């Protein structure tokens, strides 16, 4: 009996360092997730110029296009103007807010490769600046990792090559991915941003985000005039 207890004690003594090592490695991995995700965002933005007009996999035939978006426009602007309709896979806007550490590219359409490069706008929603629901989403562990910080009264700026548009957050939202209330077409002019709710144990069916109202439009050209770019 004494010999059995001695063997058990020796086994525990031998295994304890390995158990502690595994625990430490696990903690380090969890701690590194956030910095790694942020690094991924900066990497995508920094090397975007090298990825322009890059074809997707040969299986889809998708061409991803990263355009240079007008940052500062000094010409005359108008409250009403003409849109430039993007093609699927085209980056046609950048999204900015003080909560985000960098401007976020906005792509028209969505697939796994586009989500790796920025935020994605549903093709079933309205083009930025148009009347209706503009629905944009991104991964919660990369480009929309700071979305939860937005609150009522915050402003979102969307810059395109046909104008600059400002939206103000009116409410924060939470919904299940099966619900279509916030992402469906609407006659009301609004911007909806959302992402997955963080879940350490895996993917979540819950979504969080904000709904914003249009507060300022600055078109660079009147309808029917040549585009500013």
């Amino acid at each position: 009996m004494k010999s059995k207890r001695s063997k058990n004690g020796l086994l525990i003594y031998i295994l304890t360092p390995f158990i502690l090592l595994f625990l430490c490695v696990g903690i380090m991995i969890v701690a590194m997730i956030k910095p790694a995700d942020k690094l991924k965002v900066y990497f995508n933005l920094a090397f975007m110029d090298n990825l322009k007009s890059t074809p997707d996999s040969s299986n889809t035939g998708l061409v991803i296009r990263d355009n240079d978006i007008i940052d500062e426009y000094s010409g005359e602007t108008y409250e009403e103007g003409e849109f430039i309709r993007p093609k699927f896979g085209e980056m046609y806007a950048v999204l900015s807010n003080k909560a985000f550490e960098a401007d976020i590219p906005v792509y028209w359409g969505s697939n796994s490769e586009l989500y790796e490069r920025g935020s994605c706008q549903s093709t079933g929603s309205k083009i930025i600046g148009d009347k209706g629901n503009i629905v944009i989403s991104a991964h919660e562990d990369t480009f929309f990792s700071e979305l939860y910080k937005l609150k009522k009264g915050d402003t979102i700026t969307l810059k395109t090559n046909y104008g600059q548009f400002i939206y103000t957050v009116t409410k924060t939202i939470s919904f299940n991915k099966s619900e279509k209330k916030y992402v469906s077409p609407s006659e009301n002019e609004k911007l909806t941003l959302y992402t997955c709710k963080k879940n350490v144990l895996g993917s979540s069916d819950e979504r969080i985000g904000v709904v914003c109202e249009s507060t300022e439009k600055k078109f660079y050209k009147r309808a029917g005039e040549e585009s500013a770019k």
Side-chain angles (χ1 to χ4, degrees):
M1 192 70 170
K2 182 177 180 181
S3 175
K4 186 176 181 181
R5 286 199 299 266
S6 178
K7 288 182 180 180
N8 290 339
L10 181 60
L11 182 62
I12 293 173
Y13 179 78
I14 294 173
L15 292 178
T16 297
F18 293 100
I19 294 173
L20 292 175
L21 177 61
F22 286 129
L23 286 174
C24 291
V25 170
I27 293 171
M28 288 178 62
I29 291 173
V30 172
M32 291 175 62
I33 288 175
K34 188 67 172 181
D37 290 333
K38 288 192 175 182
L39 182 62
K40 187 176 183 181
V41 172
Y42 295 131
F43 179 86
N44 285 344
L45 292 174
F47 289 91
M48 190 166 290
D49 284 340
N50 297 326
L51 299 173
K52 292 183 179 180
S53 302
T54 303
D56 196 331
S57 64
S58 57
N59 293 330
T60 65
L62 173 68
V63 174
I64 299 174
R65 183 177 299 278
D66 294 299
N67 296 318
D68 292 320
I69 304 300
I70 296 174
D71 186 43
E72 297 293 337
Y73 181 79
S74 58
E76 188 174 359
T77 59
Y78 312 91
E79 291 185 3
E80 299 293 335
E82 186 171 359
F83 306 99
I84 302 175
R85 178 170 288 278
K87 295 181 179 179
F88 192 96
E90 181 178 3
M91 187 193 88
Y92 84 112
V94 291
L95 183 154
S96 61
N97 172 270
K98 61 183 181 181
F100 303 126
E101 297 184 10
D103 291 347
I104 300 172
V106 180
Y107 289 88
W108 181 250
S110 62
N111 71 4
S112 59
E113 291 199 30
L114 294 178
Y115 274 119
E116 289 294 319
R117 294 167 178 255
S119 61
C120 294
Q121 182 177 345
S122 167
T123 55
S125 65
K126 292 293 184 177
I127 295 174
I128 295 169
D130 198 358
K131 293 179 173 62
N133 191 12
I134 300 162
V135 182
I136 300 175
S137 61
H139 287 318
E140 58 84 17
D141 55 356
T142 54
F143 293 93
F144 272 6
S145 61
E146 311 298 328
L147 185 63
Y148 72 94
K149 293 182 179 179
L150 297 185
K151 59 184 183 301
K152 186 175 180 180
D154 287 347
T155 58
I156 308 291
T157 300
L158 287 166
K159 294 180 180 179
T160 71
N161 284 332
Y162 56 81
Q164 178 176 306
F165 308 91
I166 297 177
Y167 298 83
T168 301
V169 177
T170 57
K171 65 178 179 180
T172 58
I173 57 175
S174 178
F175 60 99
N176 187 276
K177 70 176 184 180
S178 62
E179 297 179 41
K180 306 300 181 183
K181 175 181 178 181
Y182 296 109
V183 299
S184 298
S186 169
E187 294 183 0
N188 298 329
E189 190 171 349
K190 61 183 179 180
L191 168 68
T192 303
L193 307 178
Y194 76 92
T195 188
C196 296
K197 187 175 182 179
K198 291 185 180 180
N199 188 348
V200 178
L201 300 179
S203 60
S204 172
D205 290 340
E206 295 302 311
R207 305 290 183 258
I208 61 169
V210 293
V211 175
C212 316
E213 64 179 359
S214 175
T215 50
E216 186 176 4
K217 291 183 177 183
K218 293 181 179 180
F219 285 95
Y220 301 149
K221 295 290 182 179
R222 291 191 181 96
E225 292 184 349
E226 186 180 351
S227 159
K229 185 175 175 64

